[in-house]
Amino acid sequence: MKHLVHALLGATLLAGPVVAQNTDLLIGSTSASSSHYGYFVAVGQLINENAEGLRTSVVETGATMDNIRRMERGQVDLGLVTTNVAQHAFAGTNEFEGKQQDLTLLWVYTGAPQNVVMRTDAGVTDLSGLAGVRFNPGIKGSATESTTEAVFNTLGLSADYVRGSTTDVVDMIKDNRVAGYVKSGSGNRLDGSTMDIATSTDITVLGLTAQQSDKLKAEMPDISVVDIPEGAADGVPAYTTWSFGVGVGAPSTMDEETAYQIVKAVMEDKEAQANAMASLKGESLADITLQFGTIPLHPGAVRWFEEQGIDLPAKLKPTE
């Protein structure tokens, strides 16, 4: 009998760690050369340290479009999304015509001005001058790429598009094989990959004209037109460009408690995210989410907002 008790006790002890296993989550991010990738590394560490029972790993991807497709296939559990493409996916419009996605929002962490960065020696001084010029509209599969093409179509602009990853395109611009590219900014500052180019190559940022701005406001309500003040980088004057929000999405099938723990860990952080992305210093992620969010929040995220007494606009409330 004593041997039976010891055997049962041993079996119970062996079973204990299995029951207490963490839930492993994969986070789809973007190119490792982007400042946004560093942000997601910080988010992953925050979740690992503050969300009990969750363990995350960050995966380098092709950004928004790639992440949404991977979530649909169950290859990542949550990931970077831009608010304009998220709206298209949720509504089943544009690139997702007839293929509505199961996508909810967890939070938005920044606005993303879309910067048209050119080699100064390319001699292109305005967007209309890009016709026939070798130019990258954004990393392959990203929201920047699809939005640039939509903006150019709306404005009647053209370029000789060159596709590739951020790393490839940065090298091509440095080697003068490509004249420029479109890259999401880090708040009102140019992205790290752009600053890398600027260390060895003089750059120019092309802005929208007043007429182009008005046309985008009238015909593309899924994006914003923003004024970037002088100082996006040394020597860069003020300019106007298009923008959208950048946040984190997840399928509605994610467990509510999991989503809640993730959002709680991120929203209550006061340091790690700002250290990873300087533009977030002093910013309220809750306010940014309310400002830029375009699709319903995940019920777990809603729970956190309601606990703070925050009233959600109709567009962020889960559909029945």
Side-chain angles (χ1 to χ4, degrees), residues 223-280:
I223 63 173
S224 303
V225 173
V226 296
D227 296 320
I228 306 299
E230 179 181 359
D234 290 343
V236 176
Y239 59 96
T240 301
T241 192
W242 63 95
S243 179
F244 43 74
V246 185
V248 180
S252 66
T253 52
M254 174 180 279
D255 177 73
E256 180 179 332
E257 180 64 20
T258 296
Y260 171 77
Q261 292 294 340
I262 290 171
V263 173
K264 178 179 170 64
V266 168
M267 290 294 186
E268 296 181 0
D269 166 57
K270 303 298 182 186
E271 185 174 344
Q273 293 168 91
N275 287 341
M277 184 171 283
S279 62
L280 298 185

Side-chain angles (χ1 to χ4, degrees), residues 78-93:
L78 63 159
L80 177 153
V81 296
T82 58
T83 54
N84 57 336
V85 175
Q87 173 61 38
H88 299 161
F90 177 78
T93 57

Side-chain angles (χ1 to χ4, degrees), residues 2-177:
K2 182 170 69 174
H3 292 300
L4 178 59
V5 170
H6 286 170
L8 289 172
L9 179 60
T12 301
L13 291 174
L14 286 173
V18 175
V19 174
Q21 279 184 339
N22 287 330
T23 297
D24 293 322
L25 301 171
L26 288 179
I27 304 176
S29 58
T30 182
S31 167
S33 62
S34 170
S35 59
H36 290 263
Y37 181 86
Y39 171 78
F40 277 90
V41 171
V43 165
Q45 292 172 344
L46 267 177
I47 295 170
N48 293 344
E49 293 170 2
N50 297 285
E52 185 177 354
L54 301 181
R55 188 74 189 172
T56 67
S57 298
V58 177
V59 181
E60 181 181 9
T61 69
T64 295
M65 294 292 291
D66 190 18
N67 288 336
I68 292 174
R69 292 180 180 124
R70 290 184 188 225
M71 281 188 271
E72 181 185 25
R73 296 192 294 262
Q75 294 173 338
V76 298
D77 299 286
L78 63 159
L80 177 153
V81 296
T82 58
T83 54
N84 57 336
V85 175
Q87 173 61 38
H88 299 161
F90 177 78
T93 57
N94 288 38
E95 305 91 339
F96 300 94
E97 186 70 42
K99 297 180 180 179
Q100 185 175 9
Q101 301 293 300
D102 174 23
L103 184 65
T104 64
L105 187 64
L106 295 178
W107 75 93
V108 180
Y109 61 89
T110 189
Q114 301 298 285
N115 299 308
V116 182
V117 180
M118 303 295 298
R119 291 181 61 102
T120 301
D121 60 12
V124 179
T125 58
D126 56 53
L127 293 174
S128 61
L130 286 170
V133 174
R134 285 174 57 82
F135 178 79
N136 171 250
I139 67 172
K140 190 172 178 60
S142 69
T144 290
E145 180 187 51
S146 59
T147 305
T148 297
E149 293 185 9
V151 166
F152 276 35
N153 287 338
T154 300
L155 298 179
L157 301 172
S158 65
D160 180 8
Y161 290 144
V162 178
R163 313 292 179 175
S165 69
T166 300
T167 301
D168 291 341
V169 172
V170 166
D171 288 341
M172 286 190 281
I173 294 173
K174 288 180 178 179
D175 295 343
N176 203 15
R177 288 175 286 150

Side-chain angles (χ1 to χ4, degrees), residues 265-299:
V266 168
M267 290 294 186
E268 296 181 0
D269 166 57
K270 303 298 182 186
E271 185 174 344
Q273 293 168 91
N275 287 341
M277 184 171 283
S279 62
L280 298 185
K281 187 174 182 180
E283 296 288 345
S284 164
L285 294 186
D287 289 344
I288 294 172
T289 302
L290 295 176
Q291 178 183 6
F292 286 103
T294 56
I295 64 174
L297 292 169
H298 189 285

